[in-house]
Amino acid sequence: MSIESIKRRDFLKQASIFTAGLLAMQMDVLAGSFGTDKFGDGNILLNKKTDPDWIKSLYQRGTVTTYFKSKNELKYIGMPVGGINCGTVYLGGDGRLWLWDIFNKNQEGIEPKLVEWNKGNGEQIKLRPRDGAAYVFPATEIHPLEQGFAIKINYKGNTITKRFHQEDWAEIKFEATYPVAVIHYIDSDFPLEIKLTAFSPFIPLDEDNSNIPVTIQSFEIKNTGKEVVEFEIIGWLENAANIFSATASNDGKRENTVITKPNHVSVFSTFNPNDKTKFAEAGDSGSLCLSFIGKNAIGISSFNLPFSAASFNSKEGREAKSTVNAAEKIIAGIAVTEKLAPGKTVKKEFAISWHFSNVGKRIDVPDARTGHYYLNKFPDALAVADYVADRSSFLSSQTKLWKNTWYKSTLPWWFMERTFSNISALATTTSHRFKTGRSWAWEGVGACEGNCTHVWHYAQATGRIFPGIERDNRQRVDLGIALQEDGGIWFRAEYDKRPAIDGQAGRVLGCLREHQMSADDTFLRTNWPNIKKATQFLINQDKNGNGLTDTPMENTLDAVWDGEIAWIAGLSIAAVKAGGVMALEMNDISFAEQCKIYVEKGSKNMDEVLFNGEYYIHKPDAIKGREGVGSYNTCHIDQVLGQSWAWQVGLGRINDKEKTASALKALWKYNFMPDVGPYLKEHTGWRPYALPGESGMVMNTNPKKEANPYGESVTWQMGYFHECMTGFEHQVASHLMAEEMTDEALILTRAVHDRYHAYKRNPFNEIECSDHYGRAMASYGTFITACGFEYHGPKNFIRFAPKWNKENFEAPFVTAKGWGSYSQKKQKGKQIHRFEVKYGSLRLQKINLQRISELSIEKVTAAVGGQKVKLKYELNGNDIVVELTKPLHIQTNETLIITI
């Protein structure tokens, strides 16, 4: 969330925003799955009587989420398909590309707008992107440049031309499987079956090949008729170099050049200024390239629009080069033809690349002046096209292999989609990487700068999918640029020179995760002195020595809170425990003992002092009392965040099991709303991240029915307490899953999933303080806990303990050097566990598995490729701990099979 309190106060001070009847939404699936019951004070539905059949359906595998033109579900879809840290290019529901936020404006929001919104009582308020403008009024049809594809066929003496545009097809189906989408174009009168597969290269562990400014559009065409069909596909792309900065005729020339190479045909679009210095620092200075991957295509240096059947003539504009002045528009085209026999299928693959090297002036750090990270590999968009064409088979096959590995699971399709899709925020202007290698991010698109620690520590996905990026960020920024002599970490690096207590703890916990996601202990050894210093800082914030942080300090709810606060104290306890674990690995015995003492005191006192018999609370400062904002006796969404984080990195318990379960049940009872409408009607100041008719978990509720529950004086931050923010909801869902409350975890995750159904808004854009909010990547944590996954690369250790489908379970895994698929199955009195490596390699020695049944264990064997591996094993409760006699390196396409 933002620290720009003055700017936000204008919105957050507004009175109650009740919007029943504002939007007529069809998708109130979740709210409709609960029975009616009496409401408590504050319009909290106390007993959530769910339909058992509906609950059961949440566990079912199901099928891929598919959105249909016929159901009016395509217009808001915007799946990022432009490479991580390369700007934002959206793939629309009908296959058109839109938004095109690649010109380094770093504007706030995907659509920087201020919109009037009717509160429901006739009063209008204004919403900015950070206030939820795109939640209430989702963006659509933003096309700053001309781009598209079309197909022309000669069939039975007729010429038929269709754009790949929803207006031209009877039906279009969009399969929402990030990072690869599949779109089907359907028309009963059309003799070709057409499928578009669209993506940018996305390969876990390979951040460089996932950081390519390109989108690939692969058309698969099948002749379903009985006659030969001759078809021609053409793609077009406007030359958008300096599209905003150079608009006068005398600014220079736009130039399109046809390039023919052995493995691709391209049209390279550039701008040649009359005064180079004038545009040297412009964000839109650069180049684009439209390419066909393959041979025998026709490059069109100047293609005419508006598009029509009459204008579809690939024989025009075939000059090698076309030039216009800056005030004119010029469009590149590429055409490819084929005669397709009945029953035959052919693929035609296009690529659109771009290269706009200047980061833009809104990001004001020295590293940003070096330009984008992709400059290390590509001097221009043509070089991108060359690289993609040269490695087309590898980039495409590995991206699709990951997609198939991720979704080939016994976990529900919808669950796999929702827990992973938020990593697409890395492929938007929320996230940047500079030529120096430094990662840098807003909280959400263009809002709240500087890798904010108290937001980004929630985001579990990047550290698991691209651990190299997070290791660098810890070392370069948190333990480098932002670390101070006293161990405090500036929470926005150069932008805000003070620590945030929750962000500090989250970054120490992140250091443990980054160490665990490493192949060896280099990261920990290199950074241990600074990790120790950052951990000591947390210990030092406990002024009265009881293990509970009590130093007033900034937190993610944008205020300095006084007193002993359960969620901050618990998070600090978890972080110090993580520090102690790392100290032991570094043989720093005295510091490990110091951490242990702190954790033992803190855990004991948190359970005794901050637990009110039902949930954990905020104990006010003895002198100041409740004069400042705080959660106090309310039921706060993050009250056991420390324990939630502990499960992510295998730290075990920091809070009592029964008390933790009670706290989570209280959150379910008081904070989860099958329909937020009645609750919102009674409260003020909230931003619309959930609307009446939708389900969600609000930040804070007041079960004790106290007057002034959040402090004696009204502050603008109090509006947060009544909001539904997905990053927090995902954090709770992951914790519910870890504590065996799987029904509740799935219901909460499904609540978010349904709020972002494509009928309502973009399913790939979870909004908090602006679009594609970083905290939403907490969703990956729910996948982690559903699998019971733990991993420690330097110790060659892995664990799986699935929460359901234990007799027939399959899910993907990502480790330090490789990824693949894990499965376990009960079969004829045996249980068989398979680790199939599909990319890279996996080094294992200690493997923790679970007993699937109560049968006695007589023997455990392991083999790779039929070759037995020596091992020993022991039983530890329900765990079977298998230890190989020496580390085993499992290579790509090899499978370790353990039979019990």
Side-chain angles (χ1 to χ4, degrees):
M1 293 178 188
S2 172
I3 60 168
E4 300 173 53
S5 57
I6 295 176
K7 293 181 182 178
R8 301 177 72 168
R9 189 177 295 118
D10 292 340
F11 172 75
L12 291 167
K13 277 187 174 180
Q14 299 292 337
S16 175
I17 308 168
F18 178 54
T19 59
L22 173 67
L23 293 178
M25 298 294 193
Q26 289 185 359
M27 300 302 302
D28 60 349
V29 176
L30 196 61
S33 301
F34 289 79
T36 58
D37 206 330
K38 69 175 184 178
F39 288 85
D41 284 16
N43 277 290
I44 299 171
L45 182 62
L46 297 178
N47 296 306
K48 283 78 174 176
K49 294 183 177 179
T50 51
D51 178 347
D53 290 336
W54 178 76
I55 294 289
K56 187 177 180 180
S57 74
L58 297 181
Y59 288 87
Q60 293 171 358
R61 172 63 176 156
T63 58
V64 57
T65 296
T66 304
Y67 297 117
F68 295 84
K69 171 190 172 181
S70 58
K71 296 181 180 179
N72 195 26
E73 294 172 339
L74 303 184
K75 62 181 177 180
Y76 299 131
I77 292 174
M79 188 180 101
V81 287
I84 65 172
N85 303 307
C86 295
T88 314
V89 174
Y90 273 175
L91 175 73
D94 63 358
R96 287 181 295 162
L97 300 174
W98 64 290
L99 193 64
W100 294 99
D101 187 8
I102 59 176
F103 302 108
N104 300 296
K105 289 183 175 182
N106 277 292
Q107 61 203 18
E108 182 178 312
I110 55 170
E111 187 177 15
K113 59 188 178 183
L114 185 67
V115 297
E116 293 285 336
W117 188 42
N118 191 322
K119 289 170 54 178
N121 60 359
E123 184 181 352
Q124 299 283 324
I125 64 167
K126 294 181 178 180
L127 297 177
R128 300 164 297 169
R130 68 180 61 193
D131 304 324
Y135 192 86
V136 178
F137 300 105
T140 185
E141 296 292 338
I142 299 173
H143 296 283
L145 56 89
E146 300 281 357
Q147 178 276 326
F149 289 94
I151 187 167
K152 179 175 72 173
I153 66 170
N154 294 314
Y155 181 65
K156 293 184 177 180
N158 297 316
T159 298
I160 304 171
T161 302
K162 285 180 177 288
R163 300 167 300 165
F164 291 100
H165 186 303
Q166 62 178 335
E167 292 177 358
D168 290 11
W169 299 88
E171 180 67 289
I172 297 176
K173 300 191 299 183
F174 182 101
E175 296 178 8
T177 50
Y178 187 82
V180 180
V182 177
I183 304 174
H184 301 267
Y185 300 91
I186 301 163
D187 200 317
S188 60
D189 296 331
F190 204 66
L192 300 178
E193 183 178 281
I194 302 177
K195 178 174 74 174
L196 169 63
T197 301
F199 61 96
S200 182
F202 185 103
I203 307 168
L205 304 179
D206 188 348
E207 56 263 31
D208 283 8
N209 278 318
S210 301
N211 184 204
I212 302 174
V214 69
T215 181
I216 295 170
Q217 310 278 294
S218 179
F219 293 92
E220 183 176 305
I221 301 107
K222 180 180 181 180
N223 185 346
T224 57
K226 296 181 179 180
E227 298 182 16
V228 172
V229 177
E230 181 178 359
F231 72 83
E232 182 174 24
I233 291 184
I234 191 164
W236 61 91
L237 177 70
E238 181 181 347
N239 182 335
N242 296 89
I243 188 172
F244 303 110
S245 61
T247 56
S249 296
N250 61 357
D251 279 337
K253 302 290 185 182
R254 303 194 194 282
E255 186 172 277
N256 284 351
T257 305
V258 176
I259 308 287
T260 302
K261 296 197 174 185
N263 56 7
H264 71 97
V265 177
S266 298
V267 183
F268 182 40
S269 297
T270 57
F271 174 71
N272 298 317
N274 292 329
D275 180 357
K276 291 185 178 181
T277 60
K278 180 179 178 181
F279 302 103
E281 296 184 2
D284 60 351
S285 288
S287 56
L288 299 96
C289 199
L290 173 64
S291 306
F292 173 74
I293 308 300
K295 300 179 180 180
N296 303 320
I298 298 168
I300 306 168
S301 60
S302 182
F303 179 73
N304 293 322
L305 286 179
F307 180 87
S308 67
S311 70
F312 195 100
N313 186 351
S314 62
K315 295 180 173 59
E316 296 180 1
R318 290 179 61 179
E319 296 82 1
K321 186 177 292 187
S322 294
T323 304
V324 299
N325 68 51
E328 296 179 88
K329 181 183 293 188
I330 185 170
I331 297 170
I334 288 184
V336 59
T337 59
E338 181 91 17
K339 288 185 178 180
L340 194 60
K344 296 297 182 180
T345 301
V346 69
K347 290 183 180 180
K348 301 297 180 182
E349 190 159 278
F350 295 81
I352 297 173
S353 55
W354 58 94
H355 190 283
F356 295 95
S357 60
N358 298 324
V359 170
K361 294 182 179 180
R362 275 202 73 202
I363 301 178
D364 187 20
V365 295
D367 294 83
R369 303 286 76 78
T370 66
H372 287 290
Y373 184 74
Y374 58 69
L375 278 168
N376 290 304
K377 189 175 285 186
F378 311 118
D380 55 35
L382 181 59
V384 177
D386 289 338
Y387 184 88
V388 171
D390 289 345
R391 294 160 181 80
S392 175
S393 178
F394 169 79
L395 297 172
S396 177
S397 65
Q398 296 303 295
T399 301
K400 292 174 183 176
L401 178 63
W402 168 251
K403 177 222 170 176
N404 293 335
T405 300
W406 177 260
Y407 291 106
K408 185 178 181 291
S409 173
T410 55
L411 293 167
W413 268 100
W414 72 265
F415 180 81
M416 298 301 288
E417 293 161 359
R418 182 51 51 193
T419 55
F420 190 70
S421 64
N422 288 315
I423 200 171
S424 65
L426 298 182
T428 72
T429 50
T430 289
S431 181
H432 298 266
R433 198 175 187 194
F434 308 135
K435 188 177 180 182
T436 60
R438 177 180 175 181
S439 295
W440 189 99
W442 304 96
E443 293 182 24
V445 171
C448 312
E449 58 279 291
N451 296 74
C452 179
T453 62
H454 65 56
V455 167
W456 279 89
H457 84 85
Y458 288 80
Q460 296 292 343
T462 311
R464 297 294 183 178
I465 302 299
F466 298 111
I469 290 177
E470 286 288 57
R471 282 194 298 270
D472 181 81
N473 205 18
R474 296 295 82 72
Q475 180 169 321
R476 185 193 302 259
V477 181
D478 300 318
L479 303 174
I481 295 168
L483 187 71
Q484 303 307 297
E485 269 306 307
D486 64 355
I489 298 171
W490 289 345
F491 76 95
R492 295 184 191 274
E494 303 96 329
Y495 284 93
D496 200 308
K497 298 181 178 180
R498 53 182 172 149
I501 186 63
D502 48 346
Q504 178 94 14
R507 283 320 195 197
V508 172
L509 283 156
C511 286
L512 177 58
R513 181 190 60 203
E514 274 61 273
H515 167 56
Q516 293 174 344
M517 285 298 293
S518 301
D520 55 39
D521 66 356
T522 300
F523 170 81
L524 181 56
R525 281 189 291 104
T526 302
N527 295 288
W528 172 241
N530 287 338
I531 295 171
K532 178 179 178 180
K533 186 184 290 188
T535 307
Q536 184 67 58
F537 179 88
L538 288 166
I539 295 172
N540 293 345
Q541 306 319 304
D542 170 25
K543 302 304 183 186
N544 64 7
N546 69 347
L548 302 178
T549 299
D550 54 9
T551 302
M553 204 173 296
E554 179 78 15
N555 66 57
T556 196
L557 297 179
D558 293 333
V560 176
W561 289 18
D562 298 299
E564 294 174 339
I565 307 146
W567 64 282
I568 289 174
L571 192 57
S572 297
I573 293 165
V576 174
K577 187 170 185 178
V581 166
M582 290 183 278
L584 285 175
E585 293 196 38
M586 289 293 97
N587 203 32
D588 191 339
I589 304 304
S590 62
F591 189 67
E593 184 62 24
Q594 183 184 355
C595 292
K596 181 182 177 183
I597 292 169
Y598 178 93
V599 170
E600 287 177 349
K601 279 194 299 185
S603 294
K604 179 177 182 292
N605 286 321
M606 184 172 170
D607 286 338
E608 292 181 358
V609 177
L610 300 183
F611 187 74
N612 71 355
E614 187 178 15
Y615 54 87
Y616 291 90
I617 61 168
H618 169 187
K619 181 183 176 184
D621 180 79
I623 297 173
K624 295 182 180 178
R626 294 192 185 190
E627 69 180 38
V629 66
S631 55
Y632 302 115
N633 289 329
T634 64
C635 191
H636 179 58
I637 196 167
D638 270 352
Q639 61 185 270
V640 279
L641 172 59
Q643 183 62 73
S644 180
W645 237 117
W647 293 127
Q648 294 294 312
V649 288
L651 286 175
R653 291 212 169 270
I654 65 165
N655 295 123
D656 177 80
K657 180 179 180 179
E658 286 72 27
K659 289 182 172 67
T660 301
S662 178
L664 290 172
K665 289 174 182 176
L667 282 172
W668 192 251
K669 180 179 181 180
Y670 300 122
N671 294 47
F672 179 73
M673 309 290 167
D675 179 353
V676 299
Y679 178 85
L680 295 179
K681 185 178 181 181
E682 299 298 319
H683 296 86
T684 63
W686 50 270
R687 293 166 296 179
Y689 302 143
L691 295 173
E694 297 176 335
S695 302
M697 182 172 282
V698 300
M699 296 286 290
N700 274 73
T701 56
N702 181 22
K704 303 302 179 184
K705 306 170 189 174
E706 295 181 340
N708 303 320
Y710 306 112
E712 301 302 329
S713 56
V714 176
T715 68
W716 61 270
Q717 294 98 333
M718 290 178 180
Y720 293 153
F721 293 131
H722 312 302
E723 296 174 350
C724 292
M725 293 184 269
T726 68
F728 296 96
E729 292 172 290
H730 288 308
Q731 177 278 121
V732 173
S734 75
H735 196 181
L736 289 164
M737 187 71 74
E739 302 281 357
E740 310 295 338
M741 298 174 68
T742 55
D743 283 3
E744 292 86 348
L746 290 178
I747 292 169
L748 182 52
T749 306
R750 186 60 188 237
V752 177
H753 190 64
D754 285 350
R755 294 210 306 264
Y756 285 92
H757 190 280
Y759 180 83
K760 294 180 171 186
R761 50 189 64 91
N762 185 359
F764 301 98
N765 177 18
E766 289 189 20
I767 299 165
E768 197 179 305
C769 186
S770 194
D771 301 287
H772 299 284
Y773 200 76
R775 195 189 331 253
M777 281 189 275
S779 61
Y780 193 85
T782 314
F783 166 74
I784 289 281
T785 52
C787 297
F789 174 80
E790 293 177 22
Y791 173 72
H792 195 305
K795 290 186 175 181
N796 306 317
F797 169 80
I798 201 166
R799 178 179 189 264
F800 276 94
K803 298 303 179 185
W804 73 92
N805 284 347
K806 296 179 182 183
E807 296 188 355
N808 183 22
F809 176 85
E810 184 173 0
F813 64 82
V814 183
T815 60
K817 291 288 187 179
W819 46 263
S821 184
Y822 166 79
S823 66
Q824 64 181 52
K825 183 176 289 190
K826 182 182 176 183
Q827 189 172 307
K828 296 181 180 179
K830 299 178 181 179
Q831 55 185 72
I832 300 171
H833 304 258
R834 298 170 60 91
F835 295 85
E836 182 180 355
V837 177
K838 298 186 177 183
Y839 174 94
S841 62
L842 172 62
R843 188 176 66 187
L844 290 179
Q845 187 166 17
K846 190 173 183 180
I847 303 156
N848 196 318
L849 304 169
Q850 278 195 321
R851 297 177 67 162
I852 297 176
S853 69
E854 295 301 317
L855 294 175
S856 61
I857 295 174
E858 300 174 356
K859 184 171 65 172
V860 177
T861 61
V864 176
Q867 299 295 311
K868 288 190 175 181
V869 179
K870 292 183 179 180
L871 58 82
K872 58 183 179 180
Y873 72 92
E874 65 178 8
L875 301 181
N876 183 11
N878 200 43
D879 288 355
I880 305 164
V881 183
V882 178
E883 189 160 0
L884 311 180
T885 54
K886 60 181 180 180
L888 176 67
H889 291 259
I890 311 164
Q891 304 298 326
T892 303
N893 296 326
E894 290 184 339
T895 301
L896 167 65
I897 302 174
I898 297 175
T899 305
I900 302 169

